[in-house]
Amino acid sequence: MQPVLDESDALRLLRSGEVELEGRLVDASNTTLRAFLTLDGVTARCVYKPVRGERPLWDFPDGTLAGREVAAYLVSRATGWGLVPPTVLRDGPLGPGACQLWIDEPAEAEPLVGFVPARELPAGWFRIAAARGDDGRAYALAHADDPRLARMAVFDAVINNADRKGGHLLMGPQDRVYGVDHGVSFHVEDKLRTVLWGWSERRLPEEAVEVLRRLAAALDGPLAAELAEHLTVAEVHQVGSRVRRLLSTNQFPLPPEDWPAMPWPPI
């Protein structure tokens, strides 16, 4: 089992721990490795994404996917919600890359997003899209009306996440929900693609409004400088613009009409 570390200890381990590669996660589109980190007798797993293993993306020509992973963690930390596992940029066996604490999902964890039989939608779930199985049966892509997911939906709107698949949501210890794989976020153009559209056009929870106000203030201070180490000036500026837009509308965003609303595959 992964040891339970507080954030400061996790960051120290991620930055300074000795890296021992364990294997590659073959389903990832870019080079993604699982590794052990060891420091002062403490060992934990991490995900290591070296910059040299990134495939060029025509619509993300600036910066690196690894840098965007770190930027997502910095925004998450500023919200106080802890939605992204501790993540740093560091040197590793294959050169510089993002290093993120591995999250062990409890075996008994119930999924909050998925395909369910169309006539058996769980109580309190949002129906997002219709689908058909190989056998022709009707299914619905749906997600729970869960405040942890609502926080994630606000966070994704802030970072302009273009790839919020259901599989990028992890259940962690103590009923925590984490988001991972944020390499295609922070674009200056609206590219929000997510499976978490259940709250579209609803009013933001007051908690989210307060968090966005704090985030707006932080973006006028040191957070902007931290993000500028990983993003372009225009991208950092647009983070603030999206926060102000959310505060102005006081609503969850609507799915776009000129851009695919969901990533593929959605799970």
Side-chain angles (χ1 to χ4, degrees), residues 147-213:
R148 296 168 296 179
L149 294 185
R151 290 175 173 180
M152 194 70 71
V154 174
F155 170 73
D156 284 339
V158 168
I159 69 168
N160 199 15
N161 189 356
D163 198 28
R164 176 59 73 206
K165 296 180 172 72
H168 294 172
L169 295 164
L170 304 178
M171 292 294 298
Q174 301 171 335
D175 291 329
R176 295 277 300 274
V177 174
Y178 290 97
V180 297
D181 288 327
H182 301 108
V184 286
S185 301
F186 296 102
H187 203 284
V188 294
E189 299 174 7
D190 290 336
K191 289 183 178 287
L192 182 61
R193 293 191 302 181
T194 177
V195 296
L196 301 179
W197 288 115
W199 300 276
S200 293
E201 232 176 355
R202 296 195 182 195
R203 290 178 63 85
L204 294 172
E206 186 57 37
E207 176 205 31
V209 173
E210 290 302 316
V211 165
L212 290 169
R213 287 172 180 161

Side-chain angles (χ1 to χ4, degrees), residues 53-77:
E54 297 178 1
R55 295 190 307 170
L57 298 175
W58 66 268
D59 53 345
F60 285 85
D62 301 309
T64 64
L65 304 187
R68 296 172 191 281
E69 297 273 12
V70 177
Y73 166 69
L74 293 173
V75 173
S76 166
R77 186 175 66 180

Side-chain angles (χ1 to χ4, degrees), residues 6-263:
D6 65 29
E7 189 171 24
S8 61
D9 287 341
L11 289 171
R12 192 167 70 92
L13 181 62
L14 289 166
R15 291 181 180 127
S16 305
E18 182 180 349
V19 182
E20 179 186 351
L21 297 181
E22 183 181 12
R24 181 172 180 174
L25 304 181
V26 295
D27 290 338
S29 55
N30 296 280
T31 301
T32 302
L33 304 160
R34 194 164 75 168
F36 289 106
L37 290 169
T38 302
L39 181 68
D40 297 335
V42 176
T43 298
R45 278 192 171 103
C46 71
V47 175
Y48 166 51
K49 298 182 177 182
V51 172
R52 65 189 288 187
E54 297 178 1
R55 295 190 307 170
L57 298 175
W58 66 268
D59 53 345
F60 285 85
D62 301 309
T64 64
L65 304 187
R68 296 172 191 281
E69 297 273 12
V70 177
Y73 166 69
L74 293 173
V75 173
S76 166
R77 186 175 66 180
T79 66
W81 282 334
L83 300 174
V84 178
T87 311
V88 303
L89 192 67
R90 62 161 292 170
D91 201 20
L94 298 180
C99 193
Q100 184 175 85
L101 191 69
W102 177 269
I103 299 300
D104 272 332
E105 291 194 277
E108 68 278 8
E110 294 289 337
L112 299 175
V113 180
F115 287 102
V116 297
R119 296 184 179 180
E120 299 174 23
L121 190 72
W125 279 49
F126 293 118
R127 188 187 307 268
I128 305 302
R132 290 279 178 183
D134 293 337
D135 57 0
R137 293 183 61 193
Y139 287 85
L141 174 65
H143 68 76
D145 183 3
D146 189 295
R148 296 168 296 179
L149 294 185
R151 290 175 173 180
M152 194 70 71
V154 174
F155 170 73
D156 284 339
V158 168
I159 69 168
N160 199 15
N161 189 356
D163 198 28
R164 176 59 73 206
K165 296 180 172 72
H168 294 172
L169 295 164
L170 304 178
M171 292 294 298
Q174 301 171 335
D175 291 329
R176 295 277 300 274
V177 174
Y178 290 97
V180 297
D181 288 327
H182 301 108
V184 286
S185 301
F186 296 102
H187 203 284
V188 294
E189 299 174 7
D190 290 336
K191 289 183 178 287
L192 182 61
R193 293 191 302 181
T194 177
V195 296
L196 301 179
W197 288 115
W199 300 276
S200 293
E201 232 176 355
R202 296 195 182 195
R203 290 178 63 85
L204 294 172
E206 186 57 37
E207 176 205 31
V209 173
E210 290 302 316
V211 165
L212 290 169
R213 287 172 180 161
R214 293 200 306 270
L215 194 55
L219 285 163
D220 287 331
L223 178 58
E226 289 182 295
L227 292 176
E229 295 181 16
H230 308 287
L231 307 173
T232 66
V233 173
E235 288 167 341
V236 176
H237 175 76
Q238 285 301 317
V239 177
S241 294
R242 289 191 292 271
V243 170
R244 291 190 295 272
R245 185 163 67 235
L246 286 166
L247 286 170
S248 175
T249 63
N250 195 28
Q251 292 179 333
F252 287 90
L254 282 166
E257 297 181 356
D258 56 350
W259 176 257
M262 289 188 295

